[in-house]
Amino acid sequence: MPFTGFSFSKLHSDTNILPFECGDEDLNSFLFNKAIPYKKELLATTYLLENDEKTVAYLSIYNDALAVEEKDFASKSALNRAIKEIINHPKRHLRQFPAIKIGRLAVCKSTKKERKGIGRTLVNFVINLALEQNSDCACQLITVDAYRESLDFYNKLGFTFLTENDKEKDTRQMYLDLRPLMNTIEDLAN
C-alpha cells in the first residue's frame, strides 16, 4: 500500500480490530460481527488498513461466479457479446465465469473526507491480486453489488453495470472485465 503511517494486513481469527466508523451501520457491523466468523468459515477474506489508533478502511473479498442468462446483460460491451456467443454456441456449455467479488469495502468517515484515494487503492489491490492469481487459478472478472452512493466510484474505476433489471434497487450489480488488463500484461511480457 502506498500510504505511509498505515499498516495493511489480512484479518485472522485472533485479530484485534481497532475502532472503525464509516457512517454505514451495515458496513460497521460486518467488520465487528461477521468478518472473523466469515474467515473461520472460509467464506471471505478481509484486509485491514490501520494506523496506530483506528481501522482506516477495510476490504472483504470472496470467490464468485457470474452465472449467465442472456436476458440479464444490459450493455453491448465486449464481455457481454462474448457471453452471448458462448451461451448461443451449440457446442459450448459454460454457464459461469470465475470472479472475485468485493463483498465489502469501507473507509472511515474522517478519512473519507480527506480524499486520500484509499478506496481506489483497495480496488487496485483486488485487481492486482486477481491478475497475479490468474497464473494459478483463473479469474476473469471482479464483481460487486455496489450501493447506490458508490456507483460513480466504481464507474470511474471501469466497472460496468451487469443489467438494467436492478436500476431502481439500493444496490446494483457491476463487474470489471480483467481480460483487457491481462492481455496488456501479456503483451508487455512478450
Side-chain angles (χ1 to χ4, degrees), residues 33-103:
N33 301 315
K34 294 182 181 173
I36 289 176
Y38 273 39
K39 173 67 177 166
K40 288 179 181 177
E41 296 169 21
L42 303 177
L43 295 173
T45 300
T46 300
Y47 295 88
L48 303 172
L49 182 66
E50 300 174 316
N51 63 22
D52 293 334
E53 304 163 2
K54 65 183 177 183
T55 300
V56 175
Y58 79 90
L59 165 73
S60 185
I61 60 175
Y62 52 91
N63 291 325
D64 196 15
L66 179 62
V68 296
E69 296 266 345
E70 185 172 2
K71 65 179 174 52
D72 288 335
F73 294 95
S75 71
K76 298 193 181 336
S77 72
L79 177 64
N80 286 348
R81 287 193 305 272
I83 289 172
K84 286 180 182 181
E85 275 179 37
I86 290 168
I87 291 171
N88 294 322
H89 193 285
K91 294 186 180 178
R92 293 195 184 140
H93 63 278
L94 189 60
R95 295 281 188 221
Q96 294 186 354
F97 293 83
I100 291 178
K101 185 171 206 100
I102 298 173

Side-chain angles (χ1 to χ4, degrees), residues 131-169:
L131 293 173
E132 287 171 13
Q133 291 186 356
N134 263 330
S135 61
D136 299 323
C137 176
C139 175
Q140 194 171 5
L141 308 167
I142 296 175
T143 60
V144 64
D145 295 337
Y147 288 124
R148 185 155 301 287
E149 57 271 11
S150 301
L151 297 178
D152 287 341
F153 168 76
Y154 285 107
N155 219 272
K156 287 177 186 173
L157 294 174
F159 283 74
T160 305
F161 295 110
L162 178 64
T163 179
E164 292 299 313
N165 296 342
D166 58 4
K167 200 173 190 173
E168 303 302 320
K169 299 200 174 171

